[in-house]
Amino acid sequence: SSSTSAITVPSTTPTACPSPCTCSGVVADCSARGLTSVPIGFGPAITTLNLSGNAITALTSTNFTGLTALTILQLSHNPLQSIAPTALAPLTALDSLDMSNVT
C-alpha cells in the first residue's frame, strides 16, 4: 500500500531524471537514446551518468552544472566535436570519465 503526501517537491528532486533517460536511485542511464545533446534536469544526487552510444557532438559549460555528486561519466561512442574548456568544471567529485571510441 502506498500513500501520496501533499508535500510540494522542488522542481529538481535529488534524483530527478529527465526524459528519455531511465534512473535507478542515483544512477542515470541515457545510453543509446539517440540524444544529440546532454539532457537537462538531473538531480544533484546523481552519481553515475551514462551518455554512451548517442549522437552528442558538443559539451557546453552548462551541461553538467549542479552535478557535484557525479563520480562516473560515460561518454563513449559519441561523435564529440567540441568540448567547452569549463564543461567538466562542475564535476568536482568525478572519479571516472569514459571517452573511449569518441569519433
Side-chain angles (χ1 to χ4, degrees), residues 48-99:
T48 300
L49 177 52
N50 185 351
L51 291 164
S52 61
N54 283 293
I56 298 169
T57 57
L59 298 179
T60 71
S61 59
T62 56
N63 280 152
F64 304 112
T65 302
L67 297 181
T68 53
L70 198 71
T71 56
I72 300 169
L73 177 58
Q74 295 163 304
L75 285 163
S76 62
H77 299 279
N78 276 288
L80 282 171
Q81 294 169 356
S82 75
I83 300 175
T86 55
L88 302 177
L91 304 176
T92 53
L94 195 65
D95 285 331
S96 172
L97 175 61
D98 181 357
M99 293 184 75

Side-chain angles (χ1 to χ4, degrees), residues 2-81:
S2 64
S3 61
T4 307
S5 70
I7 298 170
T8 303
V9 179
S11 58
T12 304
T13 56
T15 56
C17 189
S19 178
C21 305
T22 56
C23 297
S24 175
V26 294
V27 176
D29 181 8
C30 309
S31 62
R33 301 295 202 281
L35 299 171
T36 55
S37 61
V38 177
I40 299 167
F42 292 104
I46 298 295
T47 61
T48 300
L49 177 52
N50 185 351
L51 291 164
S52 61
N54 283 293
I56 298 169
T57 57
L59 298 179
T60 71
S61 59
T62 56
N63 280 152
F64 304 112
T65 302
L67 297 181
T68 53
L70 198 71
T71 56
I72 300 169
L73 177 58
Q74 295 163 304
L75 285 163
S76 62
H77 299 279
N78 276 288
L80 282 171
Q81 294 169 356

